[in-house]
Structures are given as C-alpha cells and as structure tokens.
Amino acid sequence: MNLPTAVRRRIFLGVAVAALVAAGCKPTGGGAGTGTDIPVGEFASLTGSEAAFGRTSHNGTLLAVDQINAAGGLLGKQVKLITEDNQSKDGESATAVKKLISRDQVVAILGEVASGRSLEAAPICQQYQVPQISPSSTNPKVTQMGDYIFRVCFIDPFQGTVMAKFAQKTLKAKKVAVLTDVGAPYSVGLGTYFKERFQADGGTIVAEQKFTKDDKDFKAQLTAIKGTAPDAIFVPAYYGQVTLIVLQARELGITVPLFGGDGWEAPELLQGSGAAEALEGCYFSTHFSPDQDSPRAKDFVKQYEAKFGARPDAMAALGYDSMLLLADAIKRAGSAEPAKIRPMLAATKDFDGVTGRMTLDKDRNAEKSAVIIGIKGGKFVYSETVSP
Ligand code: PHE
C-alpha cells in the first residue's frame, strides 16, 4: 500500500497503543524528567488558517520559559520547550503529541488554543498519562476527556452568559440571529450556551444559520438572517471567517452590530480592504486585554513588548500562564515525573497569573473574569471586565 508517511505513522502508533491496551498495560511514554533538562512539549497552529492563535500563544510560552531558565530553571535544571506545528489541520495534533510523548519523552504538554485540536490530543495525553494544559480552549468537553487534562481559562457556558447579558444590556438587543461553524466544537458549543442564556433571559433567537470551515461565501445565510430583522448577530467563530462574514453582511446592507467570542481575537480580523470600517461598533469577549489596569498585567505587557516588539493578546497571556502554572506544579511536586505533576496541577489554588488568579476546580477548569473588547476607529478597545 502506498500511504503517505504521516498516515503510516499514525496507523503504526494506533496499532501499538491498541496492542498495549489489549495486553492490559498502560502505554508508557512521557519522560521522567531525569535527564539534564526538563523537556516540555507544545503543539500549536504556527501556520495555516489559525496561525495567529499559535504564534502568540507560543510567544507567551517562550517568554515564560526564558524567564524561568534565567532565574535558575526548575529543580536545578533548565526547561527545554519542544514545539510541534499542527498547521491548523485536523489530524495533525494527534500525530504531534504522539511524537512529543514517544520521541521526545516530554513530562507535560501545553496546547492548544482551538478546542477542536485540544480535543484531538487529549485522549492521547490521557492514555499515556502525560498532563496536558490547554492555554485557551474553552469548550467544556476538553477537560472532560480525563483527569490528566487541564486548562488555565474559563469555559464557554460562562463566555456564552457574558455575551448574552452584554447583548441585552449594552447592545439593547431583543432579537438576535446566530451564525455557527458546525465543524468547530468551539463554535457549536458557544453558540448553544449563548442561545440558552439569551432565551432564558427573555430574548428571542430569530435565526440560526450554519456554515463550515472552508466556506467563503456566506451570502445565503446572511440573506436569510436579514429577512428576520435581528437587532444584532452573534458569530461564535474564528477570526478568518468573521472578517469575511462581516464584509459580506455590510455588502448586503446589514447595518446591525455583529458580536462574538474569543475566537475573533487576532490582528488579522481588521486586515483586508474595508474590514476595519465594516467591524466598527462590533464587540467580542476574551480573556485579557493589554489595556487592563492591573500591575501584574502591565508588567507582562512591558516584558512581552521588549522581547517581541508587539503588544500581547489573550493567547499570549494564556500561553505564558500555562507554562508558569506547570512550573509551579513541578516545584510543588519536587519532581518532573508526569504522575507526580498531575496531582499538584489539580491542587492549584490562588495562583497569580497575568490573566488573573487561578484556582482549578474539580473539573480542572479555572474560574476567571472575561474581558469585552470593542472595535473603534479600526482598533481593539478595552470595554469592560465581567466577573463570574
Ligand atoms: N476559546 C477558543 C477555542 O476554544 C480559542 C481561542 C482562545 C481563540 C483565546 C482566541 C483567543 O477554540
């Protein structure tokens, strides 16, 4: 059979794991951190359709690693970050984490931003019992994959509630249309939580339209939405699609605000001809703003700008926090063995991150505040912070 190498590798690994499980053994992988350094794995979308997510979360993680190593490392060793690019493609995250665990013997894995890709990697991390920490995947299912899976961000039932209340209070919307990417667990989940809360609070969902990842033409869905005369349109999608959707909505004469969640956050959202104008007066929720007024956040913004020459966004801040949280757990464990790191991660209490104080609950999620950002004069402008 003439299969591509990636496919063959995947089949081989799958068969190997199945054989071990059938023989009643836990597949072993993941290092014990007994070498001269502590290998930490990271998988991220450094290229492809959501490259903005991977790039900044990777930068945040890098900054944390540099600071930890400059301060003497962990347990007397240096942290070695090993990064795999999944190219924003389905199937690549599973391959990436298998490599990190089997080949690189990492003690823990950081990633991913997008919920769908975290969900793809989680069964493997769980099976090999290597802790996985997602910086910013907000779909509840991610940490439900097992007790080795953690995150440092809030989850979408909260984010949906925040935006439902915002729609009613600030946008004064009574009728809202929802446009969802059915291929993305993040989009489907956030759309559902938003809708449930908005309706429970007396609002009406006048239209529910759908699209898939590679769609470029949203005119049919937008025309149907226009016919229901909504006060606003909720689009829980990733930035690349959002820009196209907003531009086409304006072309069709839809003038009401569009709003969404953290998936909107990337400088690319505003790029391209007419995008900034089309998005004027639109809003999204996220985890962090560099304009936030906390000393911890300000300090982080300064350090990040000095290293990368750009302002950090939510993914950068969460990538930074995910590495710091892991370092804290390794210190408290006094060991870099995955099985010893896990209970220390689970016991995280009042950890002071740049995105807020973190206590992990019994489901390994962090209860945190959300930030709402508006688009004004072609810029992201901090609007408000909403506490749980
Ligand atoms: N929360 C999104 C998801 O789960 C990812 C995301 C996080 C995007 C933060 C932008 C900023 O897929």
Side-chain angles (χ1 to χ4, degrees):
M1 224 182 335
N2 217 349
L3 292 171
T5 322
V7 174
R8 254 185 278 138
R9 204 179 299 137
R10 222 172 294 155
I11 293 172
F12 169 75
L13 281 161
V15 170
V17 169
L20 280 165
V21 170
C25 339
K26 160 182 120 49
T28 51
T34 48
T36 50
D37 46 32
I38 296 179
V40 171
E42 179 200 26
F43 69 111
S45 54
L46 297 175
T47 54
S49 53
E50 278 95 46
F53 291 169
R55 276 198 315 261
T56 63
S57 70
H58 174 65
N59 284 351
T61 306
L62 263 187
L63 179 63
V65 169
D66 283 358
Q67 290 178 352
I68 292 164
N69 285 340
L74 291 175
L75 314 174
K77 294 176 186 177
Q78 293 282 291
V79 174
K80 184 177 162 201
L81 185 71
I82 306 165
T83 306
E84 286 285 326
D85 175 16
N86 57 30
Q87 302 161 54
S88 309
K89 283 188 192 148
D90 290 349
E92 292 299 324
S93 296
T95 312
V97 298
K98 279 173 192 163
K99 259 197 230 163
L100 291 167
I101 294 172
S102 320
R103 180 196 65 192
D104 303 312
Q105 301 274 301
V106 298
V107 302
I109 290 196
L110 305 177
E112 227 253 21
V113 172
S115 289
R117 293 191 285 268
S118 288
L119 280 166
E120 201 189 292
I124 296 149
C125 295
Q126 181 64 30
Q127 195 163 27
Y128 282 91
Q129 307 204 332
V130 172
Q132 175 187 350
I133 309 174
S134 164
S136 46
S137 289
T138 45
N139 188 285
K141 288 191 195 119
V142 172
T143 47
Q144 287 165 9
M145 301 304 284
D147 62 353
Y148 270 78
I149 319 300
F150 299 84
R151 76 179 109 217
V152 295
C153 57
F154 56 65
I155 55 175
D156 285 333
F158 170 65
Q159 183 164 217
T161 298
V162 167
M163 288 324 268
K165 298 222 173 284
F166 176 80
Q168 270 158 331
K169 274 202 213 134
T170 309
L171 299 179
K172 311 262 180 258
K174 294 193 171 56
K175 299 188 296 171
V176 168
V178 181
L179 181 54
T180 317
D181 174 354
V182 283
Y186 160 72
S187 187
V188 174
L190 183 54
T192 306
Y193 300 120
F194 168 83
K195 175 180 136 188
E196 286 170 0
R197 169 52 61 169
F198 189 70
Q199 287 173 328
D201 290 345
T204 306
I205 300 294
V206 288
E208 286 182 70
Q209 289 288 325
K210 299 174 178 25
F211 62 92
T212 56
K213 188 176 159 93
D214 298 320
D215 286 354
K216 298 270 176 287
D217 186 340
F218 305 90
K219 297 233 175 72
Q221 293 93 323
L222 289 166
T223 303
I225 286 174
K226 190 181 178 194
T228 64
D231 302 321
I233 306 171
F234 186 58
V235 188
Y238 296 134
Y239 61 91
Q241 297 155 330
V242 173
T243 305
L244 293 176
I245 289 167
V246 177
L247 282 169
Q248 292 174 24
R250 301 301 180 229
E251 251 175 68
L252 290 172
I254 297 174
T255 55
V256 297
L258 287 85
F259 63 114
D262 51 357
W264 281 38
E265 193 177 358
E268 284 84 343
L269 184 79
L270 299 167
Q271 284 161 13
S273 135
E277 295 76 24
L279 280 150
E280 183 72 17
C282 293
Y283 291 87
F284 63 90
S285 50
T286 188
H287 310 257
F288 171 86
S289 159
D291 303 323
Q292 246 163 319
D293 201 22
S294 92
R296 184 95 172 84
K298 282 196 176 138
D299 210 33
F300 167 72
V301 172
K302 223 190 285 159
Q303 291 157 354
Y304 187 95
E305 278 177 338
K307 187 168 169 68
F308 301 108
R311 275 161 88 62
D313 54 14
M315 283 84 67
L318 288 165
Y320 182 80
D321 276 352
S322 67
M323 182 61 225
L324 288 193
L325 191 87
L326 173 62
D328 180 65
I330 292 175
K331 271 191 231 152
R332 281 185 285 117
S335 160
E337 272 177 59
K340 298 212 168 112
I341 299 173
R342 197 212 73 82
M344 290 302 126
L345 280 174
T348 300
K349 200 168 173 280
D350 283 334
F351 179 78
D352 192 20
V354 295
T355 55
R357 276 197 177 275
M358 270 179 264
T359 296
L360 293 190
D361 63 18
K362 64 170 195 349
D363 301 316
R364 299 165 300 283
N365 300 322
E367 194 177 88
K368 318 248 295 272
S369 301
V371 165
I372 296 177
I373 292 181
I375 294 138
K376 299 205 168 72
K379 287 206 177 86
F380 290 163
V381 178
Y382 169 77
S383 170
E384 59 180 293
T385 298
V386 187
S387 300

PDB file of all heavy atoms in Angstrom, residues 53 113-116 136-139 156 159 186 238 262-265 286-287 314-315 318, ligand 1:
ATOM      1  N   PHE A  53      -3.327  32.379  16.293  1.00  0.00           N
ATOM      2  CA  PHE A  53      -3.504  31.778  17.627  1.00  0.00           C
ATOM      3  C   PHE A  53      -2.205  31.130  18.097  1.00  0.00           C
ATOM      4  O   PHE A  53      -1.734  31.359  19.206  1.00  0.00           O
ATOM      5  CB  PHE A  53      -4.573  30.674  17.596  1.00  0.00           C
ATOM      6  CG  PHE A  53      -5.973  31.162  17.379  1.00  0.00           C
ATOM      7  CD1 PHE A  53      -6.987  30.248  17.102  1.00  0.00           C
ATOM      8  CD2 PHE A  53      -6.301  32.505  17.475  1.00  0.00           C
ATOM      9  CE1 PHE A  53      -8.295  30.664  16.917  1.00  0.00           C
ATOM     10  CE2 PHE A  53      -7.610  32.936  17.285  1.00  0.00           C
ATOM     11  CZ  PHE A  53      -8.613  32.005  17.004  1.00  0.00           C
ATOM     12  N   VAL A 113      -4.800  26.148  21.453  1.00  0.00           N
ATOM     13  CA  VAL A 113      -5.737  27.259  21.579  1.00  0.00           C
ATOM     14  C   VAL A 113      -7.145  26.771  21.191  1.00  0.00           C
ATOM     15  O   VAL A 113      -8.080  26.823  21.986  1.00  0.00           O
ATOM     16  CB  VAL A 113      -5.299  28.451  20.710  1.00  0.00           C
ATOM     17  CG1 VAL A 113      -6.366  29.525  20.681  1.00  0.00           C
ATOM     18  CG2 VAL A 113      -3.987  29.030  21.232  1.00  0.00           C
ATOM     19  N   ALA A 114      -7.291  26.239  19.980  1.00  0.00           N
ATOM     20  CA  ALA A 114      -8.612  25.829  19.483  1.00  0.00           C
ATOM     21  C   ALA A 114      -9.109  24.550  20.166  1.00  0.00           C
ATOM     22  O   ALA A 114      -8.372  23.565  20.273  1.00  0.00           O
ATOM     23  CB  ALA A 114      -8.552  25.615  17.977  1.00  0.00           C
ATOM     24  N   SER A 115     -10.355  24.575  20.593  1.00  0.00           N
ATOM     25  CA  SER A 115     -10.913  23.424  21.318  1.00  0.00           C
ATOM     26  C   SER A 115     -10.854  22.140  20.504  1.00  0.00           C
ATOM     27  O   SER A 115     -10.543  21.076  21.036  1.00  0.00           O
ATOM     28  CB  SER A 115     -12.366  23.711  21.710  1.00  0.00           C
ATOM     29  OG  SER A 115     -12.420  24.684  22.718  1.00  0.00           O
ATOM     30  N   GLY A 116     -11.163  22.210  19.214  1.00  0.00           N
ATOM     31  CA  GLY A 116     -11.184  21.000  18.387  1.00  0.00           C
ATOM     32  C   GLY A 116      -9.832  20.299  18.404  1.00  0.00           C
ATOM     33  O   GLY A 116      -9.752  19.073  18.458  1.00  0.00           O
ATOM     34  N   SER A 136      -6.089  27.976  26.276  1.00  0.00           N
ATOM     35  CA  SER A 136      -7.259  28.794  25.970  1.00  0.00           C
ATOM     36  C   SER A 136      -8.417  28.083  25.273  1.00  0.00           C
ATOM     37  O   SER A 136      -9.288  28.741  24.723  1.00  0.00           O
ATOM     38  CB  SER A 136      -6.804  29.995  25.137  1.00  0.00           C
ATOM     39  OG  SER A 136      -5.930  29.570  24.121  1.00  0.00           O
ATOM     40  N   SER A 137      -8.444  26.757  25.315  1.00  0.00           N
ATOM     41  CA  SER A 137      -9.609  26.058  24.753  1.00  0.00           C
ATOM     42  C   SER A 137     -10.751  26.147  25.749  1.00  0.00           C
ATOM     43  O   SER A 137     -10.613  25.735  26.891  1.00  0.00           O
ATOM     44  CB  SER A 137      -9.281  24.581  24.506  1.00  0.00           C
ATOM     45  OG  SER A 137      -8.394  24.466  23.427  1.00  0.00           O
ATOM     46  N   THR A 138     -11.882  26.670  25.306  1.00  0.00           N
ATOM     47  CA  THR A 138     -12.955  26.981  26.237  1.00  0.00           C
ATOM     48  C   THR A 138     -14.128  25.998  26.205  1.00  0.00           C
ATOM     49  O   THR A 138     -15.041  26.120  27.000  1.00  0.00           O
ATOM     50  CB  THR A 138     -13.469  28.409  25.954  1.00  0.00           C
ATOM     51  OG1 THR A 138     -13.623  28.559  24.536  1.00  0.00           O
ATOM     52  CG2 THR A 138     -12.513  29.454  26.472  1.00  0.00           C
ATOM     53  N   ASN A 139     -14.113  25.037  25.261  1.00  0.00           N
ATOM     54  CA  ASN A 139     -15.233  24.082  25.226  1.00  0.00           C
ATOM     55  C   ASN A 139     -15.153  23.148  26.446  1.00  0.00           C
ATOM     56  O   ASN A 139     -14.103  22.573  26.717  1.00  0.00           O
ATOM     57  CB  ASN A 139     -15.182  23.262  23.926  1.00  0.00           C
ATOM     58  CG  ASN A 139     -16.432  22.406  23.779  1.00  0.00           C
ATOM     59  OD1 ASN A 139     -16.576  21.399  24.455  1.00  0.00           O
ATOM     60  ND2 ASN A 139     -17.342  22.811  22.929  1.00  0.00           N
ATOM     61  N   ASP A 156     -16.951  27.912  28.093  1.00  0.00           N
ATOM     62  CA  ASP A 156     -17.949  28.606  27.277  1.00  0.00           C
ATOM     63  C   ASP A 156     -19.352  28.780  27.875  1.00  0.00           C
ATOM     64  O   ASP A 156     -20.044  29.712  27.455  1.00  0.00           O
ATOM     65  CB  ASP A 156     -18.019  27.971  25.889  1.00  0.00           C
ATOM     66  CG  ASP A 156     -16.811  28.377  25.059  1.00  0.00           C
ATOM     67  OD1 ASP A 156     -16.261  29.467  25.335  1.00  0.00           O
ATOM     68  OD2 ASP A 156     -16.393  27.624  24.168  1.00  0.00           O
ATOM     69  N   GLN A 159     -18.682  32.136  29.074  1.00  0.00           N
ATOM     70  CA  GLN A 159     -18.495  33.103  27.984  1.00  0.00           C
ATOM     71  C   GLN A 159     -19.833  33.383  27.273  1.00  0.00           C
ATOM     72  O   GLN A 159     -20.150  34.522  26.928  1.00  0.00           O
ATOM     73  CB  GLN A 159     -17.442  32.604  26.986  1.00  0.00           C
ATOM     74  CG  GLN A 159     -17.151  33.600  25.884  1.00  0.00           C
ATOM     75  CD  GLN A 159     -15.872  33.329  25.096  1.00  0.00           C
ATOM     76  OE1 GLN A 159     -15.193  34.277  24.713  1.00  0.00           O
ATOM     77  NE2 GLN A 159     -15.534  32.092  24.839  1.00  0.00           N
ATOM     78  N   TYR A 186     -15.841  24.410  19.303  1.00  0.00           N
ATOM     79  CA  TYR A 186     -15.883  25.709  19.988  1.00  0.00           C
ATOM     80  C   TYR A 186     -17.109  26.505  19.553  1.00  0.00           C
ATOM     81  O   TYR A 186     -17.877  27.017  20.379  1.00  0.00           O
ATOM     82  CB  TYR A 186     -14.595  26.478  19.654  1.00  0.00           C
ATOM     83  CG  TYR A 186     -14.683  27.974  19.869  1.00  0.00           C
ATOM     84  CD1 TYR A 186     -14.717  28.517  21.148  1.00  0.00           C
ATOM     85  CD2 TYR A 186     -14.728  28.844  18.776  1.00  0.00           C
ATOM     86  CE1 TYR A 186     -14.789  29.886  21.339  1.00  0.00           C
ATOM     87  CE2 TYR A 186     -14.796  30.217  18.960  1.00  0.00           C
ATOM     88  CZ  TYR A 186     -14.826  30.737  20.236  1.00  0.00           C
ATOM     89  OH  TYR A 186     -14.907  32.094  20.421  1.00  0.00           O
ATOM     90  N   TYR A 238     -14.011  31.715  14.327  1.00  0.00           N
ATOM     91  CA  TYR A 238     -12.617  32.173  14.339  1.00  0.00           C
ATOM     92  C   TYR A 238     -12.425  33.347  13.368  1.00  0.00           C
ATOM     93  O   TYR A 238     -13.151  33.486  12.384  1.00  0.00           O
ATOM     94  CB  TYR A 238     -11.676  31.029  13.997  1.00  0.00           C
ATOM     95  CG  TYR A 238     -11.692  29.913  15.024  1.00  0.00           C
ATOM     96  CD1 TYR A 238     -11.771  28.578  14.637  1.00  0.00           C
ATOM     97  CD2 TYR A 238     -11.652  30.192  16.390  1.00  0.00           C
ATOM     98  CE1 TYR A 238     -11.781  27.553  15.578  1.00  0.00           C
ATOM     99  CE2 TYR A 238     -11.665  29.172  17.334  1.00  0.00           C
ATOM    100  CZ  TYR A 238     -11.726  27.857  16.924  1.00  0.00           C
ATOM    101  OH  TYR A 238     -11.751  26.850  17.852  1.00  0.00           O
ATOM    102  N   ASP A 262     -13.986  34.825  22.013  1.00  0.00           N
ATOM    103  CA  ASP A 262     -12.521  34.957  21.953  1.00  0.00           C
ATOM    104  C   ASP A 262     -11.920  34.578  20.600  1.00  0.00           C
ATOM    105  O   ASP A 262     -10.832  35.038  20.258  1.00  0.00           O
ATOM    106  CB  ASP A 262     -11.854  34.173  23.094  1.00  0.00           C
ATOM    107  CG  ASP A 262     -12.323  32.728  23.211  1.00  0.00           C
ATOM    108  OD1 ASP A 262     -13.218  32.312  22.443  1.00  0.00           O
ATOM    109  OD2 ASP A 262     -11.802  32.006  24.076  1.00  0.00           O
ATOM    110  N   GLY A 263     -12.645  33.753  19.826  1.00  0.00           N
ATOM    111  CA  GLY A 263     -12.138  33.343  18.514  1.00  0.00           C
ATOM    112  C   GLY A 263     -11.928  34.502  17.548  1.00  0.00           C
ATOM    113  O   GLY A 263     -11.248  34.371  16.535  1.00  0.00           O
ATOM    114  N   TRP A 264     -12.497  35.664  17.865  1.00  0.00           N
ATOM    115  CA  TRP A 264     -12.326  36.849  16.999  1.00  0.00           C
ATOM    116  C   TRP A 264     -10.951  37.472  17.157  1.00  0.00           C
ATOM    117  O   TRP A 264     -10.528  38.283  16.338  1.00  0.00           O
ATOM    118  CB  TRP A 264     -13.354  37.926  17.393  1.00  0.00           C
ATOM    119  CG  TRP A 264     -14.735  37.729  16.887  1.00  0.00           C
ATOM    120  CD1 TRP A 264     -15.412  36.547  16.763  1.00  0.00           C
ATOM    121  CD2 TRP A 264     -15.641  38.760  16.459  1.00  0.00           C
ATOM    122  NE1 TRP A 264     -16.684  36.787  16.297  1.00  0.00           N
ATOM    123  CE2 TRP A 264     -16.844  38.132  16.101  1.00  0.00           C
ATOM    124  CE3 TRP A 264     -15.543  40.151  16.358  1.00  0.00           C
ATOM    125  CZ2 TRP A 264     -17.953  38.852  15.635  1.00  0.00           C
ATOM    126  CZ3 TRP A 264     -16.643  40.869  15.898  1.00  0.00           C
ATOM    127  CH2 TRP A 264     -17.836  40.210  15.532  1.00  0.00           C
ATOM    128  N   GLU A 265     -10.281  37.141  18.236  1.00  0.00           N
ATOM    129  CA  GLU A 265      -9.113  37.944  18.586  1.00  0.00           C
ATOM    130  C   GLU A 265      -7.860  37.617  17.779  1.00  0.00           C
ATOM    131  O   GLU A 265      -7.184  36.626  18.030  1.00  0.00           O
ATOM    132  CB  GLU A 265      -8.795  37.807  20.070  1.00  0.00           C
ATOM    133  CG  GLU A 265      -7.807  38.889  20.451  1.00  0.00           C
ATOM    134  CD  GLU A 265      -7.458  38.897  21.918  1.00  0.00           C
ATOM    135  OE1 GLU A 265      -8.003  38.101  22.675  1.00  0.00           O
ATOM    136  OE2 GLU A 265      -6.600  39.717  22.273  1.00  0.00           O
ATOM    137  N   THR A 286     -13.164  38.165  25.500  1.00  0.00           N
ATOM    138  CA  THR A 286     -11.924  37.393  25.540  1.00  0.00           C
ATOM    139  C   THR A 286     -11.397  37.326  26.975  1.00  0.00           C
ATOM    140  O   THR A 286     -12.152  37.584  27.924  1.00  0.00           O
ATOM    141  CB  THR A 286     -10.904  37.938  24.503  1.00  0.00           C
ATOM    142  OG1 THR A 286      -9.792  37.040  24.448  1.00  0.00           O
ATOM    143  CG2 THR A 286     -10.419  39.343  24.844  1.00  0.00           C
ATOM    144  N   HIS A 287     -10.113  36.971  27.118  1.00  0.00           N
ATOM    145  CA  HIS A 287      -9.578  36.625  28.440  1.00  0.00           C
ATOM    146  C   HIS A 287      -8.698  37.708  29.047  1.00  0.00           C
ATOM    147  O   HIS A 287      -8.417  37.681  30.235  1.00  0.00           O
ATOM    148  CB  HIS A 287      -8.729  35.352  28.327  1.00  0.00           C
ATOM    149  CG  HIS A 287      -9.417  34.245  27.626  1.00  0.00           C
ATOM    150  ND1 HIS A 287      -9.966  33.170  28.290  1.00  0.00           N
ATOM    151  CD2 HIS A 287      -9.689  34.017  26.312  1.00  0.00           C
ATOM    152  CE1 HIS A 287     -10.507  32.336  27.421  1.00  0.00           C
ATOM    153  NE2 HIS A 287     -10.363  32.831  26.215  1.00  0.00           N
ATOM    154  N   ALA A 314      -4.731  37.916  24.233  1.00  0.00           N
ATOM    155  CA  ALA A 314      -5.166  36.926  25.230  1.00  0.00           C
ATOM    156  C   ALA A 314      -4.391  35.617  25.104  1.00  0.00           C
ATOM    157  O   ALA A 314      -3.984  35.026  26.104  1.00  0.00           O
ATOM    158  CB  ALA A 314      -6.661  36.667  25.091  1.00  0.00           C
ATOM    159  N   MET A 315      -4.177  35.152  23.861  1.00  0.00           N
ATOM    160  CA  MET A 315      -3.466  33.879  23.696  1.00  0.00           C
ATOM    161  C   MET A 315      -2.056  33.968  24.243  1.00  0.00           C
ATOM    162  O   MET A 315      -1.542  33.026  24.830  1.00  0.00           O
ATOM    163  CB  MET A 315      -3.382  33.480  22.214  1.00  0.00           C
ATOM    164  CG  MET A 315      -4.629  32.911  21.631  1.00  0.00           C
ATOM    165  SD  MET A 315      -5.752  34.188  21.078  1.00  0.00           S
ATOM    166  CE  MET A 315      -4.911  34.931  19.737  1.00  0.00           C
ATOM    167  N   LEU A 318      -2.300  33.831  28.020  1.00  0.00           N
ATOM    168  CA  LEU A 318      -2.676  32.497  28.498  1.00  0.00           C
ATOM    169  C   LEU A 318      -1.566  31.470  28.242  1.00  0.00           C
ATOM    170  O   LEU A 318      -1.360  30.556  29.037  1.00  0.00           O
ATOM    171  CB  LEU A 318      -3.994  32.053  27.849  1.00  0.00           C
ATOM    172  CG  LEU A 318      -5.225  32.798  28.366  1.00  0.00           C
ATOM    173  CD1 LEU A 318      -6.419  32.587  27.434  1.00  0.00           C
ATOM    174  CD2 LEU A 318      -5.595  32.351  29.782  1.00  0.00           C
TER     175      LEU A 318
HETATM  176  N1  PHE B   1     -11.508  29.591  23.004  1.00  0.00           N
HETATM  177  C1  PHE B   1     -11.234  29.216  21.639  1.00  0.00           C
HETATM  178  C2  PHE B   1     -11.496  27.734  21.464  1.00  0.00           C
HETATM  179  O1  PHE B   1     -11.770  27.061  22.396  1.00  0.00           O
HETATM  180  C3  PHE B   1      -9.831  29.547  21.230  1.00  0.00           C
HETATM  181  C4  PHE B   1      -9.339  30.944  21.497  1.00  0.00           C
HETATM  182  C5  PHE B   1      -8.920  31.340  22.744  1.00  0.00           C
HETATM  183  C6  PHE B   1      -9.248  31.852  20.483  1.00  0.00           C
HETATM  184  C7  PHE B   1      -8.457  32.626  23.017  1.00  0.00           C
HETATM  185  C8  PHE B   1      -8.785  33.138  20.711  1.00  0.00           C
HETATM  186  C9  PHE B   1      -8.417  33.537  21.983  1.00  0.00           C
HETATM  187  O2  PHE B   1     -11.409  27.194  20.394  1.00  0.00           O
END
